[in-house]
Amino acid sequence: MKPTILVSWLDMDRLDRMLDSVPASQLAARDALLDELGRASLAEPWEMPPDVVTMNSRVRFSFDGSEEEVLMTLTYPKDMTGDPEQLSIMTPVGTALLGVKVGDTISWARPDGAMFELTVRGIEYQPERDGQYHR
């Protein structure tokens, strides 16, 4: 069983509206995100703990226990600009990051059946921490 995640009601509202217009080619990604959101607890945006990944957070993480870190911004599809440091919420990694906190390790099966792990190492920027609610 996967742990509960924490999502602001504002992000939840924006994600619900986004999911209403997902193209048919992304139904599997939509279903995966809906599954994740189904286990979310909601918080007021201004009460979001600073160590939780929210939409538009800039997150440091590593794969499969590696010490090498990746730094990416969790982004809505409409905001994707082609910047290699953006990560769409509609990707498996983006979906897995939402609502987890620094220090958490997330495991899931890759398409080939092998297990995959991601560990959140830090949050360089979180909009809620900076009082940015209208992004």
Side-chain angles (χ1 to χ4, degrees), residues 22-68:
V22 169
S25 62
Q26 292 187 322
L27 292 181
R30 181 202 65 191
D31 291 346
L33 181 54
L34 281 170
D35 185 49
E36 290 292 301
L37 293 175
R39 61 189 183 87
S41 290
L42 296 180
E44 296 288 349
W46 47 88
E47 293 177 357
M48 184 61 65
D51 64 343
V52 173
V53 178
T54 64
M55 290 304 301
N56 296 305
S57 288
R58 191 152 175 78
V59 185
R60 280 186 299 109
F61 56 94
S62 61
F63 293 104
D64 293 326
S66 169
E67 291 302 314
E68 184 177 338

Side-chain angles (χ1 to χ4, degrees), residues 20 24 40 43 45-46 67 71 78 128 132:
D20 286 341
W46 47 88
E67 291 302 314
L71 181 62
K78 69 177 182 61
E128 292 80 2
Q132 301 295 315

